[in-house]
Amino acid sequence: MNRRNFLKSTGALSGLGLTSGSATAFPSRPPSVYAELGVRPFINAAGTYTTLSACVMPKEVQDAMHDAASTHVAIPELQKAFSDHVAPMLGCEAALVTAGCAAALSVATAACVAGKDPEKIRRIPDTSGLKNEVIFQKSHRFGYDHAIRNVGIKIIEVETAEELQGAVNERTAMLFFLNLADPKGKIKRAEFAHIANRLQIPCLIDAAADLPPMENLRDLTRMGFDLAAFSGGKGLRGPQCSGLLMGKKTLIEAAFLNGPPYSDTLGRGAKVGKEEIAGLYRALQLYLKTDHAAEWSEWERRVAVIDREISRIPGVHTKKFVPEIANHAPHLSVEWDAQKIPLTSKQIVENLRSKDPRIELRPGSEESKTGIEVAVWMLRPGEEKIVARRLREALSGK
């Protein structure tokens, strides 16, 4: 499962934790406002899914947002300062905080269609007479391309490099690449960027849930993508409603003019506050300083803890796996012999969801007959033991 397919499945909530060896701390208990509202928090064995509230932010990020909320600042100045500080960190020309990755796709596309022209910016989504075609590989169409279509463009589908080059004309505004779909398309990532650069057409890559690996923050623009979009509230562990758009300075400047805080723009409804900008800035600092090898080892240890606890149950079979691109972290697949354990996946999911503490498994688990998937990278220290115990009890029929 990934962020695209999650909306097709039911139930599951998302939070986030760091490695037990990290100096970054998370709240020891949920805010009392949830109790006041009657909403049950959960232990996240699912992943950073938007519908499930994405991530739990490190204390340093929360402190930065609290700091930012305590006084006033000019948003254009803050966005420029963010870019000036973050761009050298990421090896790109400029960067912009957006209201999630979907908003980044919208303002990036608008930048390629309207540029910095105030009249064209106001006209969107009326793009008549403008460059208003965006070329996709057919296999890269996805549930979030509405964010691109909102600009008023027409998507042109191609499959091969020859078809792509044949589809380019005076109306072509942008080429789009979905990083998650790289294995599915006939034009691979590096070749796609190379073609776009040779044709001198801006190209945008969506890598929303594709951290880790950390290298994606630098490699995609170095590869030749003019714009790269990430979610700020997934692997980066920043504010849930933040996104990162990075790339060419002229395009980032145009993207900013096509969105908040400016009125009469496509992106005005996707407002970014001072708190999100400050929070994502701190999250990026922390992420770039993280010992990612140590973090990966901790995730593998958590998988092993759960594996040891439940693999002893007669009829249970486990396997560690790592999704190829999105949510690229160690997970545990659990299957069982229905003759020995007469329970459905849905029953296991409901068992974990209904009791205390509430536990959510990877989205889509309940759709299988006798199998579930467990994510560990969002667990807070010690929660892997609770998940292991509760899974053992559920699979044992207790």
Side-chain angles (χ1 to χ4, degrees):
M1 295 293 293
N2 52 59
R3 76 177 179 115
R4 329 290 177 176
N5 297 329
F6 171 70
L7 296 179
K8 298 178 183 178
S9 63
T10 59
L13 294 175
S14 172
L16 179 54
L18 284 183
T19 67
S20 59
S22 171
T24 303
F26 289 89
S28 60
R29 54 186 175 184
S32 60
V33 68
Y34 293 142
E36 182 180 331
L37 292 170
V39 175
R40 295 176 63 215
F42 61 93
I43 290 176
N44 175 27
T48 54
Y49 296 95
T50 297
T51 305
L52 307 178
S53 74
C55 71
V56 171
M57 297 177 293
K59 185 176 184 301
E60 295 93 328
V61 176
Q62 297 180 37
D63 288 346
M65 295 182 73
H66 184 270
D67 242 10
S70 66
T71 189
H72 296 93
V73 68
I75 295 299
E77 292 178 8
L78 186 58
Q79 284 278 27
K80 183 179 185 304
F82 173 87
S83 180
D84 290 345
H85 282 76
V86 166
M89 293 161 51
L90 302 180
C92 61
E93 292 183 10
L96 177 70
V97 181
T98 63
C101 188
L105 300 183
S106 291
V107 295
T109 305
C112 295
V113 171
K116 302 178 185 180
D117 187 317
E119 191 274 331
K120 293 178 180 177
I121 290 173
R122 286 192 298 270
R123 278 181 51 197
I124 287 176
D126 174 11
T127 60
S128 55
L130 306 180
K131 291 185 175 183
N132 60 2
E133 293 184 357
V134 175
I135 299 177
F136 275 61
Q137 290 187 74
K138 188 175 182 179
S139 57
H140 288 227
R141 293 299 301 271
F142 67 132
Y144 292 77
D145 64 36
H146 206 132
I148 295 173
R149 289 185 281 119
N150 281 345
V151 180
I153 58 88
K154 178 182 179 182
I155 292 178
I156 307 298
E157 295 182 357
V158 300
E159 293 191 70
T160 66
E162 291 74 19
E163 288 179 3
L164 189 160
Q165 293 174 85
V168 170
N169 58 57
E170 68 279 0
R171 296 183 301 279
T172 305
M174 186 180 83
L175 307 185
F176 174 79
F177 193 92
L178 177 60
N179 194 52
L180 176 65
D182 188 30
K184 300 178 182 179
K186 295 181 179 180
I187 314 172
K188 300 307 178 183
R189 197 167 60 180
E191 182 186 7
F192 191 91
H194 176 72
I195 292 173
N197 295 164
R198 180 166 51 79
L199 296 174
Q200 297 185 325
I201 298 173
C203 55
L204 164 67
I205 185 168
D206 177 335
D210 305 345
L211 296 172
M214 181 270 287
E215 289 75 19
N216 277 344
L217 279 173
R218 298 190 177 101
D219 289 351
L220 300 182
T221 52
R222 289 175 180 172
M223 191 177 293
F225 286 96
D226 300 287
L227 293 164
F230 296 88
S231 170
K234 299 185 187 298
L236 284 175
R237 296 165 179 160
Q240 179 182 3
C241 52
S242 69
L244 173 67
L245 182 64
M246 53 185 287
K248 298 291 186 183
K249 186 176 181 179
T250 55
L251 289 173
I252 294 296
E253 291 173 345
F256 180 51
L257 293 174
N258 277 272
Y262 301 106
S263 60
D264 205 4
T265 63
L266 169 82
R268 184 61 174 84
K271 185 184 291 185
V272 179
K274 56 188 183 296
E275 298 82 6
E276 285 75 37
I277 299 171
L280 186 57
Y281 171 65
R282 185 69 77 233
L284 277 164
Q285 285 183 314
L286 292 174
Y287 190 74
L288 293 173
K289 292 177 183 176
T290 296
D291 183 338
H292 294 284
E295 187 175 53
W296 190 277
S297 295
E298 168 62 14
W299 294 337
E300 290 187 322
R301 185 196 67 79
R302 293 176 187 177
V303 167
V305 167
I306 299 170
D307 189 9
R308 283 196 300 269
E309 187 73 16
I310 63 176
S311 60
R312 306 181 289 193
I313 303 172
V316 170
H317 309 283
T318 60
K319 182 179 180 182
K320 187 188 87 170
F321 72 98
V322 177
E324 184 177 2
I325 299 180
N327 308 300
H328 183 75
H331 290 65
L332 186 67
S333 172
V334 184
E335 296 184 346
W336 56 89
D337 184 341
Q339 298 299 316
K340 296 181 179 179
I341 303 177
L343 296 169
T344 66
S345 298
K346 186 174 182 179
Q347 288 175 311
I348 297 295
V349 169
E350 289 301 325
N351 180 304
L352 298 176
R353 183 177 292 156
S354 62
K355 298 180 180 179
D356 289 320
R358 179 178 182 172
I359 297 174
E360 291 291 340
L361 299 179
R362 200 166 188 235
S365 289
E366 62 266 59
E367 296 176 4
S368 170
K369 289 185 179 180
T370 55
I372 56 175
E373 293 180 350
V374 183
V376 300
W377 64 309
M378 301 296 109
L379 297 176
R380 294 186 291 183
E383 289 182 337
E384 71 280 359
K385 297 178 182 178
I386 300 173
V387 173
R389 173 177 58 81
R390 291 282 306 284
L391 272 175
R392 174 174 51 78
E393 292 173 351
L395 288 165
S396 299
K398 296 183 180 179

